């Protein structure tokens, strides 16, 4: 059993919290508005969940998930996440986040930006390219024909291993994209983004992704 620190309680964060609890973990969840605004969600999640500030969620976490608007990634606590695996579900929506030139020019990745912000953490891409409702409905047992696959990427093999196990228990196959520098292949508007695909199809979509869209 581990404690998942969920930073960002929106659609993706709350769904991953449900997965983590279903797998027997505890959850400490935070948002930008304060723990008191999470009372209804925590009541739904049950006794394994509690609300906290982002600092508290990061400190309590054995494993963390960051699922915040990309424009807020620099608000993610740094020191409490030192040495920890941090799942990054962020996506770049310039309409919401404002223009980030390094992303527009294809010189950076969203996960790479978070890794730069969290230099002592082990950032790994996860859950950014699946619509939130299907996180808890599209899983199926290992070996199922056309089992849905999700991608991950990290500079840290132990982080990829953790996400692979977490995906598998949630009912998904895993395709390892490689280092964070390749994680753009599963970002917004690429062929693999929010498409239901098995592992073979996902690999093909990753291979044909354009660097700049």
């Amino acid at each position: 059993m581990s404690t998942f620190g969920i930073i960002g309680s929106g659609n993706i964060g709350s769904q991953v919290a449900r997965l983590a609890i279903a797998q027997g973990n505890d959850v400490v969840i935070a948002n930008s508005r304060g723990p008191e605004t999470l009372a209804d969600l925590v009541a739904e999640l049950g006794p394994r969940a509690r609300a906290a500030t982002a600092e508290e969620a990061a400190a309590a976490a054995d494993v963390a998930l960051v699922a915040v608007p990309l424009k807020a990634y620099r608000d993610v606590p740094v020191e409490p996440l030192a040495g920890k695996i941090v799942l990054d579900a962020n996506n770049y929506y310039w309409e919401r986040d404002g223009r980030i030139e390094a992303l527009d020019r294809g010189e950076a990745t969203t996960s790479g930006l978070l890794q730069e912000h969290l230099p002592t953490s082990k950032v790994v891409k996860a859950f950014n390219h699946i619509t939130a409702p299907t996180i808890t409905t599209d899983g199926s047992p290992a070996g199922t024909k056309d089992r849905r696959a999700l991608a991950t990427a990290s500079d840290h093999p132990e982080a990829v291993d953790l996400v692979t196990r977490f995906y598998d228990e949630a009912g998904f196959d895993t395709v390892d994209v490689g280092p964070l520098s390749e994680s753009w292949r599963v970002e917004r508007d690429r062929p693999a983004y929010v498409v239901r695909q098995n592992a073979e199809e996902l690999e093909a979509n990753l291979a044909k992704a354009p660097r700049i869209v």
Side-chain angles (χ1 to χ4, degrees), residues 6-196:
I6 309 288
I7 301 173
S9 64
N11 294 332
I12 298 294
S14 59
Q15 284 287 74
V16 174
R18 293 181 180 98
L19 279 188
I21 289 170
Q23 295 181 18
N25 301 293
D26 293 330
V27 163
V28 182
I29 192 165
N31 64 14
S32 61
R33 300 181 301 279
E36 66 279 0
T37 67
L38 294 169
D40 289 345
L41 176 60
V42 167
E44 179 215 322
L45 293 173
R48 286 191 175 275
R50 66 181 176 90
T53 66
E55 287 275 348
E56 292 166 341
D62 298 310
V63 178
L65 170 84
V66 172
V68 300
L70 187 63
K71 64 183 178 181
Y73 80 90
R74 291 187 182 91
D75 296 332
V76 174
V78 177
E79 291 304 321
L81 293 172
K84 298 178 181 180
I85 293 174
V86 178
L87 280 61
D88 169 45
N90 289 345
N91 284 303
Y92 174 40
Y93 288 93
W94 59 264
E95 305 92 334
R96 173 197 66 191
D97 301 315
R99 288 290 188 180
I100 300 174
E101 290 188 8
L103 295 176
D104 291 338
R105 294 194 301 261
E107 297 172 357
T109 67
T110 56
S111 292
L113 294 177
L114 185 63
Q115 182 68 84
E116 289 177 7
H117 176 67
L118 302 173
T120 56
S121 300
K122 302 170 184 177
V123 172
V124 57
K125 198 71 176 176
F127 292 110
N128 78 300
H129 59 293
I130 179 172
T131 57
T134 58
I135 288 175
T136 54
T137 60
D138 267 20
S140 57
T144 300
K145 180 178 173 56
D146 287 330
R147 190 189 200 204
R148 186 167 185 172
L150 298 176
T152 190
S154 181
D155 298 335
H156 303 277
E158 61 270 39
V160 170
D161 289 345
L162 183 143
V163 168
T164 299
R165 293 193 302 272
F166 193 53
Y167 278 171
D168 185 53
E169 289 191 39
F172 304 101
D173 286 339
T174 301
V175 174
D176 181 0
V177 181
L180 287 182
S181 61
E182 291 294 308
S183 61
W184 59 268
R185 294 182 180 276
V186 74
E187 290 179 348
R188 176 192 176 186
D189 294 334
R190 272 73 176 193
Y193 188 70
V194 297
V195 175
R196 195 195 189 287

Side-chain angles (χ1 to χ4, degrees), residues 184-185 189-191 205-213:
W184 59 268
R185 294 182 180 276
D189 294 334
R190 272 73 176 193
N205 283 331
L206 292 168
K208 67 185 179 185
R211 185 66 181 91
I212 299 175
V213 293

